[in-house]
Amino acid sequence: MSEHKVMCVRLPLQGVNLLIPYACVAEVVSLMLRPRDGAYLGEVEWRGLSVPVVSLERGCDKPIDVPRGRVRFAVLYGLHDPARLPYYAVLLNGVPRTEGITSEQLESMVEGGCKLLGLGVKQEGQTVFVPDLEGVESWLQAAQTGQATG
């Protein structure tokens, strides 16, 4: 009997990969960014909307350089409170990959990720993180007002 696969997207960040359900990704785009300091990088215009942008690495206190100009993002659907945060964008460092995942492919849990990155799991010998997207959204809303802590 074949185990059910969940379609996921592997989002490459700087030094870490996220694994999120495919249905959570609205679009992967390249847009102009004039980043701010900190994890909340400001906003980008996407489909006539102003979408907040976050660096999860900076939210985990990892020093990364954020490029200026045209940058690749994953625009994600807001899950927790879509009326207040219908979309938000995560800064990427490469091209996302769609893949079908079964529970058998997730080998073991890994310690050491920060709260924003979520649960670390081994998949085919590599560590990937499965974030709590509602937690990320709550953190982002606090970061927009300067009240977030990583």
Side-chain angles (χ1 to χ4, degrees):
M1 182 167 103
S2 172
E3 189 170 346
H4 180 70
K5 285 188 176 189
V6 175
M7 291 306 294
C8 294
V9 179
R10 183 184 296 242
L11 300 177
L13 308 182
Q14 288 188 27
V16 67
N17 286 297
L18 297 183
L19 194 63
I20 66 168
Y22 182 82
C24 293
V25 179
E27 188 173 12
V28 174
V29 294
S30 291
L31 299 169
M32 293 300 288
L33 177 67
R34 290 185 184 91
R36 299 178 180 176
D37 290 336
Y40 171 59
L41 301 176
E43 297 182 351
V44 293
E45 291 297 316
W46 174 73
R47 295 187 179 187
L49 300 170
S50 187
V51 176
V53 178
V54 64
S55 164
L56 295 179
E57 303 96 310
R58 282 188 175 178
C60 291
D61 295 325
K62 295 180 188 225
I64 65 161
D65 291 325
V66 176
R68 293 185 170 275
R70 206 151 191 80
V71 181
R72 184 173 288 134
F73 304 97
V75 178
L76 306 179
Y77 292 106
L79 303 174
H80 180 64
D81 188 358
R84 286 186 56 203
L85 185 67
Y87 302 98
Y88 61 101
V90 175
L91 180 68
L92 298 178
N93 187 42
V95 180
R97 185 176 86 198
T98 302
E99 52 193 279
I101 302 293
T102 65
S103 61
E104 291 177 345
Q105 289 176 286
L106 303 178
E107 300 157 13
S108 61
M109 287 191 233
V110 177
E111 295 293 324
C114 93
K115 186 171 105 176
L116 284 177
L117 295 178
L119 175 67
V121 294
K122 286 282 188 183
Q123 183 208 9
E124 299 173 355
Q126 282 192 327
T127 299
V128 295
F129 290 89
V130 181
D132 167 12
L133 295 177
E134 288 185 8
V136 169
E137 292 170 25
S138 295
W139 175 86
L140 174 57
Q141 288 179 327
Q144 287 178 289
T145 61
Q147 300 171 3
T149 59

